[in-house]
Amino acid sequence: MTSDVLDAAGPQAAHIADLWWLTIWVCVMVFVAVMVVLGWALWRTPRSDDATPPDVAPAAAGERNLRWGVGIGITVSSLLLTGLLVASVLTDRALARMPVDDALHISVSAHQYWWEMIYDDPRPDHVFTTANELYIPVGRPVIVTLQADDVIHSFWIPNLHGKKDLIPGRVATVRLRADRPGEYQGRCAEYCGLQHAFMAFDVVAVSAERFAAWADAQRRPAGDPGEAAALRGRELFLSGSCMLCHAIHGTTANARKAPDLTHVASRAHLAAGRIDNSPQTLAAWIADPQRIKPGVNMPDHLLAGEDLAALVAYLGTLK
Ligand code: CUA
């Protein structure tokens, strides 16, 4: 997984990275120029032991030089800032011009503190929902529709695009495209509460074939648990408080207050990137979510021993 925010994996991030490099080089040049002029000014200032009489009335020549210096400074600053403004507007235009033929449409909703992804499709039976994981096909444009239902969040995949705020009551869109396969990090980039720093999602860019296979698997309802412990786990899930918030397709659980768990075992992380996904971490998370993610909306379930193991066994079958 790449962690270099300037490693552009798509055209939008490349435009933004170009603007960043232009800005940083202009700033570096201005800084160096200011330091050189400052050094020169300090060097030519007469030392106190030169016994120079204090300047009470600056000479006319000095006054003229000062005016020239200030004039040049203002002109150069204005030109540089105007140049950066033009570059910024051109970048914005370039981002908006991206072709979106045959785009994949994904609706993303931000919640405290997790992400819901709904993959749209002209065929209603092909629409599916997942959480904290954004699979996208390489080379195909993706239009992400963004919404929030509690507070302001911000959707950010540094390697693919800039930040986009999600303001409750408003719909925003982001167009992006990954040009090479890879795993990238998605982040919430707007302080949204206690667990803002742990509101992440995995972005996985794969070939069209692998994406189609993944989407097919995600569309399938949850299979039969099989062994006895997992069956008992399903019973606990459907008779306890889990189903008040979560959905598992193929069962009677269909709430949407919390992540859809139909294929939870196929995900790399749990709790929006907070922990890896393994039977041990899953058990710890169910037993005491507030210890792992204080302030999260998932309540303690007071499950332990065999019941907890059965529930973990069941969730582990949801591949
Ligand atoms: Cu959501 Cu920060």
Side-chain angles (χ1 to χ4, degrees), residues 149-226:
D149 63 359
D150 37 37
V151 298
I152 300 176
H153 304 266
S154 182
F155 179 88
W156 190 30
I157 311 169
N159 304 108
L160 296 180
H161 208 303
K163 298 171 184 175
K164 192 76 165 183
D165 277 3
L166 291 83
I167 298 165
R170 294 175 72 166
V171 177
T173 55
V174 156
R175 298 158 170 208
L176 48 86
R177 193 178 80 209
D179 283 340
R180 57 181 156 87
E183 290 184 23
Y184 310 105
Q185 291 183 44
R187 291 268 152 200
C188 178
E190 176 77 41
Y191 181 74
C192 55
L194 218 50
Q195 289 299 330
H196 154 72
F198 292 113
M199 186 170 163
F201 56 100
D202 296 320
V203 182
V204 187
V206 291
S207 66
E209 298 76 44
R210 276 192 61 195
F211 175 77
W214 173 84
D216 269 348
Q218 296 290 316
R219 278 185 202 113
R220 258 176 248 134
D224 222 22

Side-chain angles (χ1 to χ4, degrees), residues 2 4 17 25 32 53 57 69 79 100 115 117 119 134 159 183 207 229 248 252 279 284 288 292 300-301 310 316:
T2 178
D4 178 358
W25 281 117
V32 169
L79 286 175
V100 286
W115 303 88
M117 282 79 177
Y119 284 71
L134 196 70
N159 304 108
E183 290 184 23
S207 66
I248 296 178
T252 49
D288 194 356
I292 292 169
D300 296 346
H301 286 88

Side-chain angles (χ1 to χ4, degrees), residues 18-313:
D18 288 346
L19 180 64
W20 153 265
W21 283 116
L22 175 73
T23 309
I24 199 80
W25 281 117
V26 166
C27 292
V28 166
M29 285 186 316
V30 169
F31 180 75
V32 169
V34 168
M35 286 302 122
V36 167
V37 172
L38 180 68
W40 175 73
L42 289 173
W43 176 75
R44 67 181 280 274
T45 304
R47 310 292 186 279
S48 55
D49 56 352
D50 288 351
T52 323
D55 279 343
V56 272
E63 187 88 327
R64 238 188 348 263
N65 285 346
L66 191 66
R67 279 213 194 112
W68 269 104
V70 171
I72 290 170
I74 289 175
T75 310
V76 171
S77 303
S78 306
L79 286 175
L80 287 176
L81 287 174
T82 308
L84 288 179
L85 179 69
V86 170
S88 174
V89 170
L90 290 178
T91 302
D92 200 45
R93 289 263 177 97
L95 292 180
R97 262 203 312 267
M98 181 187 138
V100 286
D101 308 330
D102 184 36
L104 174 70
H105 288 258
I106 306 174
S107 300
V108 171
S109 296
H111 310 271
Q112 281 174 318
Y113 305 95
W114 62 283
W115 303 88
E116 178 180 40
M117 282 79 177
I118 301 174
Y119 284 71
D120 217 348
D121 199 283
R123 278 184 57 178
D125 60 329
H126 272 199
V127 176
F128 64 90
T129 304
T130 180
N132 304 322
E133 204 174 59
L134 196 70
Y135 264 73
I136 52 172
V138 167
R140 183 173 167 195
V142 180
I143 299 179
V144 186
T145 308
L146 300 162
Q147 294 181 70
D149 63 359
D150 37 37
V151 298
I152 300 176
H153 304 266
S154 182
F155 179 88
W156 190 30
I157 311 169
N159 304 108
L160 296 180
H161 208 303
K163 298 171 184 175
K164 192 76 165 183
D165 277 3
L166 291 83
I167 298 165
R170 294 175 72 166
V171 177
T173 55
V174 156
R175 298 158 170 208
L176 48 86
R177 193 178 80 209
D179 283 340
R180 57 181 156 87
E183 290 184 23
Y184 310 105
Q185 291 183 44
R187 291 268 152 200
C188 178
E190 176 77 41
Y191 181 74
C192 55
L194 218 50
Q195 289 299 330
H196 154 72
F198 292 113
M199 186 170 163
F201 56 100
D202 296 320
V203 182
V204 187
V206 291
S207 66
E209 298 76 44
R210 276 192 61 195
F211 175 77
W214 173 84
D216 269 348
Q218 296 290 316
R219 278 185 202 113
R220 258 176 248 134
D224 222 22
E227 50 156 333
L231 269 168
R232 164 101 184 103
R234 183 169 71 177
E235 207 179 291
L236 283 166
F237 189 95
L238 298 175
S239 60
S241 54
C242 307
M243 69 172 294
L244 296 177
C245 300
H246 294 282
I248 296 178
H249 291 274
T251 73
T252 49
N254 55 14
R256 287 189 46 196
K257 271 183 170 341
D260 186 303
L261 300 179
T262 311
H263 297 288
V264 64
S266 71
R267 295 174 200 153
H269 295 99
L270 292 172
R274 181 71 184 94
I275 45 176
D276 289 339
N277 190 359
S278 74
Q280 293 77 27
T281 53
L282 181 56
W285 171 242
I286 296 169
D288 194 356
Q290 298 299 325
R291 188 180 60 79
I292 292 169
K293 215 168 161 178
V296 72
N297 286 328
M298 173 137 148
D300 296 346
H301 286 88
L302 307 174
L303 277 170
E306 276 181 19
D307 284 352
L308 182 58
L311 188 55
V312 169

